């Protein structure tokens, strides 16, 4: 693995290696104090973040490396009209690894085409968030011993929630997982992921009620309704507050259920759930730091490789208004095939 853009691209053996390294770090952090000594991480956050930004920074510092970057794009030259390509070429010249979060779908993929150092996708719009997935898988494996064979409920905004999209891509690499996709019809998973699940033989049930399925779950993954992704604010008003997990609802759940959440929470988990031993979302955030340490210990130490020439495009590749190709017109017209459908290689939207 050179870049981490989409968890789907990570071979299962590489995930196993990454997890094994995360475990070694958790068990003996002192042995990793110099794992990134002399290395520099660039942290480009074009969207708000607390956990992802801070856990990447602390991960690098705990490995003996250093960090620079911005958390407010208004303080970067993007505000002066600089293209993503130019920003990345500069930043990759200063850093050994680039971590980026953007509101544009496919932006990390686009950046990886021009970067001579590894690029890590820390969230690209409503598309993917693979290091939240390394966090989630680390949490499940550490607390349950294995990911195989679990019944997993994904609840909330499955349309816009990039953490859910990445997790689905990842769970295709494990065995015997049963999915309950719990969302109102307007927030159901995108078609490309429904196709992905069918193509990969992942059994799933789409339901709109949380209460009836709670007793069957080993993992309940709650998500926030992603207000910032709604084009129509009235639509958000209709959807907000649709699921609220309370202590009384948990009474019918399994004793060893894991209640997870990528955080931030708005109101989808009542505060009285926090003290239930099954609520692991704050521990999950800490596992995120360890899984990012495991990732940086590898990627920040990779050699610089000059990327090859990239074909110059002349306009948007796809119709998705949030695709990076809508604003960065020089990007090459890359397409890929997924489940017999031609898709944009940046944002996964169908092309035809
Ligand atoms: C998530 C994100 O940014 O997608 N947060 C995170 O990285 N832990 C989830 C969210 O914002 O709802």
């Amino acid at each position: 693995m050179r870049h981490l853009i989409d968890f789907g691209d990570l071979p299962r053996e590489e995930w196993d290696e990454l997890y094994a390294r995360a475990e070694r770090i958790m068990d003996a952090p002192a042995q990793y104090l110099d794992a990134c000594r002399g290395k520099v991480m660039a942290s480009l956050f074009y969207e708000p973040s607390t956990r992802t930004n801070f856990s990447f920074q602390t991960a690098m510092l705990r490995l003996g490396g250093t960090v620079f970057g911005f958390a407010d794009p208004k303080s970067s030259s993007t505000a002066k009209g600089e293209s993503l390509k130019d920003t990345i070429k500069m930043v990759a010249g200063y850093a050994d690894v680039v971590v980026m979060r953007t509101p544009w779908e496919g932006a990390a993929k686009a950046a990886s085409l021009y970067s001579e150092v590894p690029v890590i996708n820390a969230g690209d719009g409503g598309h993917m968030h693979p290091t939240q997935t390394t966090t989630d898988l680390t949490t499940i494996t550490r607390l349950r011993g294995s990911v195989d064979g679990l019944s997993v409920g994904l609840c909330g905004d499955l349309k816009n929630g990039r953490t859910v999209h990445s997790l689905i891509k990842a769970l295709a690499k494990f065995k015997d997982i049963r999915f309950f996709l719990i969302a109102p019809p307007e927030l159901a998973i995108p078609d490309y992921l429904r196709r992905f699940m069918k193509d990969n033989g992942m059994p799933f049930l789409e339901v709109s009620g949380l209460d009836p399925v709670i007793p069957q779950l080993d993992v309940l993954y709650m998500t926030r309704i992603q207000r910032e992704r709604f084009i129509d604010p009235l639509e958000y008003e209709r959807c907000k507050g649709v699921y609220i997990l309370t202590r009384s609802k948990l009474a019918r759940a399994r004793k060893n259920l894991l209640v997870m959440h990528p955080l931030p929470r708005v109101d989808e988990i009542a505060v009285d759930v926090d003290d239930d031993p099954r609520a692991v979302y704050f521990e999950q955030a800490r596992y995120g730091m360890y899984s990012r340490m495991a990732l940086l210990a590898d990627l920040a130490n990779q050699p610089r490789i000059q990327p090859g020439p990239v074909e110059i495009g002349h306009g948007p590749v796809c119709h998705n208004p949030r695709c990076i190709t809508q604003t960065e017109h020089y990007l090459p017209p890359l397409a890929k095939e997924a489940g017999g459908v031609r898709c944009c290689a940046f944002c996964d939207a169908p092309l035809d």
Side-chain angles (χ1 to χ4, degrees):
M1 176 183 54
R2 173 78 183 157
H3 307 282
L4 181 54
I5 306 298
D6 179 335
F7 202 106
D9 301 335
L10 189 74
R12 173 62 200 264
E13 313 77 66
E14 289 201 34
W15 160 250
D16 290 339
E17 272 172 42
L18 194 67
Y19 178 72
R21 193 177 314 118
E23 283 232 295
R24 289 196 297 275
I25 294 173
M26 288 189 259
D27 294 338
Q31 286 176 19
Y32 288 82
L33 290 175
D34 290 320
C36 286
R37 178 75 57 206
K39 300 295 175 185
V40 180
M41 180 186 97
S43 169
L44 312 184
F45 277 71
Y46 294 86
E47 263 197 343
S49 171
T50 304
R51 270 147 299 273
T52 307
N53 189 2
F54 287 170
S55 67
F56 262 116
Q57 293 199 37
T58 49
M60 194 57 174
L61 297 174
R62 284 171 185 271
L63 296 169
T66 50
V67 180
F68 75 98
F70 58 80
D72 175 4
K74 289 197 217 73
S75 66
S76 81
S77 280
T78 310
K80 298 184 189 170
E82 185 171 60
S83 69
L84 178 69
K85 173 183 175 183
D86 290 4
T87 304
I88 290 301
K89 286 197 87 68
M90 299 305 306
V91 167
Y94 304 143
D96 298 293
V97 61
V98 176
V99 175
M100 66 184 291
R101 164 171 291 190
T102 76
W104 313 294
E105 301 187 2
K109 162 94 182 163
S112 72
L113 301 177
Y114 304 105
S115 176
E116 57 187 60
V117 299
V119 173
I120 300 176
N121 182 5
D124 60 332
H127 184 224
M128 291 289 158
H129 191 352
T131 67
Q132 181 62 47
T133 303
T134 61
T135 300
D136 302 338
L137 295 180
T138 300
T139 306
I140 298 172
T141 314
R142 186 79 169 176
L143 297 178
R144 290 291 298 247
S146 161
V147 178
D148 294 328
L150 299 181
S151 289
V152 177
L154 303 171
C155 178
D157 189 346
L158 308 190
K159 176 182 177 197
N160 301 299
R162 56 193 173 195
T163 60
V164 168
H165 303 166
S166 278
L167 190 54
I168 289 176
K169 283 279 187 92
L171 291 176
K173 299 175 195 296
F174 293 84
K175 285 202 294 284
D176 304 328
I177 301 195
R178 291 196 308 142
F179 291 87
F180 294 89
L181 305 177
I182 309 154
E186 43 299 25
L187 298 181
I189 53 162
D191 279 340
Y192 80 89
L193 281 170
R194 197 173 288 112
R195 265 198 317 275
F196 175 85
M197 294 184 86
K198 286 184 183 149
D199 290 347
N200 285 279
M202 300 162 77
F204 64 92
L205 197 62
E206 292 193 76
V207 296
S208 55
L210 170 60
D211 299 8
V213 300
I214 271 196
Q216 303 180 56
L217 303 177
D218 298 305
V219 173
L220 172 56
Y221 194 92
M222 297 295 294
T223 63
R224 172 178 72 88
I225 310 297
Q226 307 277 301
R227 179 184 208 150
E228 68 278 26
R229 312 271 178 237
F230 281 73
I231 293 162
D232 177 1
L234 286 177
E235 180 81 20
Y236 171 74
E237 291 302 319
R238 276 194 293 275
C239 293
K240 73 174 189 197
V242 59
Y243 299 110
I244 300 184
L245 182 66
T246 57
R247 185 175 273 239
S248 63
K249 287 188 188 169
L250 271 182
R252 295 172 54 246
R254 291 184 178 159
K255 293 279 165 278
N256 59 353
L257 171 73
L258 297 181
V259 179
M260 299 176 65
H261 193 307
L263 302 177
R265 126 176 89 179
V266 179
D267 58 2
E268 56 281 352
I269 301 182
V271 179
D272 67 3
V273 173
D274 295 358
D275 296 327
D276 189 301
R278 293 168 288 187
V280 299
Y281 26 91
F282 293 115
E283 276 167 274
Q284 184 184 351
R286 186 162 163 82
Y287 287 130
M289 179 182 71
Y290 290 118
S291 74
R292 290 175 175 121
M293 285 173 80
L295 185 65
L296 289 171
D298 176 7
L299 295 191
N301 284 302
Q302 297 217 358
R304 274 175 191 277
I305 299 176
Q306 193 62 44
V310 179
E311 185 188 345
I312 297 174
H314 299 286
V317 171
C318 72
H319 301 297
N320 174 5
R322 296 187 170 112
C323 179
I324 186 68
T325 63
Q326 296 287 343
T327 52
E328 312 280 324
H329 290 173
Y330 53 83
L331 287 170
L334 298 183
K336 66 180 178 189
E337 169 105 10
V341 176
R342 228 167 62 85
C343 298
C344 171
F346 294 95
C347 71
D348 282 299
L351 287 176
D352 307 312

